[in-house]
Amino acid sequence: MRNIYKNEQSGRSMVEMLGVLAIIGVLSVGGIAGYSKAMTKFKINKSMDQISMLVANIRTLFSGQRNYSGLSNASAISFGIIPGEMDGGGAVITNAFAGNVTIGTDTVNGNANAAFTIKYEGLGQEACVTMATSDWGSGSSSGLVSMAVSDDGGDGTSYSGTDLPISLISAAAQCGCDTATCSIEWTYL
């Protein structure tokens, strides 16, 4: 006798499809987390390059001058010493984390405008710690006089030439921001 009914099935069951969707979901979450971490690292590296470029450009521009008188965001933009991607329009300079950058002058040893400052705001905790602990030139020839690191409370601590580079423990304590409002200010001669 012959069996008229064929019991061959093709395709996937609902349980198999749910399993595939669960695997795709787990991989997507891992991919998004990895992408976010990579973007933070990219922004940190980009900011560090921008700071180094700003220091070099400011020093070159003012190399024949006695001091840094007149240095500000507006003058830095008008002289073309900031990278194009940092120009926020008007006299606004922004960093890779969409925070403000402030360029100005400082008094050192009673000499007005003897130094210049670069302040980065809007940094997250990871960016703040990484940038604060980087060696920005701790030797006497670097011209780095001090760094001021503060969290969102604004109660920053200033570190002078003998305390640079900042230790990881000190940076972690000062970069205790829960929101992206940490800031670092570098002062160069």
Side-chain angles (χ1 to χ4, degrees):
M1 187 171 238
R2 217 164 61 149
N3 189 358
I4 329 181
Y5 300 105
K6 291 189 174 187
N7 200 7
E8 295 179 26
Q9 294 181 0
S10 63
R12 306 281 178 228
S13 71
M14 184 62 85
V15 172
E16 290 171 329
M17 288 306 291
L18 288 175
V20 168
L21 289 175
I23 290 171
I24 290 172
V26 168
L27 292 175
S28 296
V29 168
I32 290 170
Y35 176 76
S36 176
K37 185 83 169 163
M39 284 307 297
T40 300
K41 293 282 186 195
F42 171 76
K43 288 178 181 179
I44 291 170
N45 289 335
K46 186 175 186 173
S47 292
M48 291 173 68
D49 289 344
Q50 289 172 342
I51 293 164
S52 296
M53 185 182 300
L54 281 172
V55 170
N57 289 347
I58 291 169
R59 284 188 168 161
T60 301
L61 181 65
F62 285 87
S63 63
Q65 304 298 311
R66 287 191 220 173
N67 59 33
Y68 297 98
S69 179
L71 180 62
S72 65
N73 281 17
S75 63
I77 292 169
S78 68
F79 291 137
I81 62 173
I82 65 161
E85 70 266 6
M86 293 180 73
D87 190 351
V92 177
I93 303 173
T94 57
N95 59 41
F97 294 95
N100 289 331
V101 176
T102 306
I103 299 173
T105 61
D106 200 4
T107 300
V108 175
N109 298 329
N111 298 322
N113 302 319
F116 66 90
T117 61
I118 300 172
K119 184 175 183 178
Y120 262 51
E121 298 174 353
L123 302 175
Q125 186 174 23
E126 180 181 358
C128 181
V129 170
T130 302
M131 293 171 72
T133 57
S134 294
D135 188 358
W136 293 98
S138 54
S140 60
S141 64
S142 74
L144 181 62
V145 177
S146 67
M147 285 176 62
V149 180
S150 65
D151 60 10
D152 50 5
D155 55 347
T157 301
S158 183
Y159 299 88
S160 63
T162 56
D163 298 332
L164 299 173
I166 299 172
S167 72
L168 184 60
I169 301 300
S170 295
Q174 289 304 310
C175 297
C177 48
D178 357 344
T179 59
T181 56
C182 287
S183 65
I184 302 176
E185 183 175 50
W186 296 266
T187 303
Y188 282 90
L189 286 176

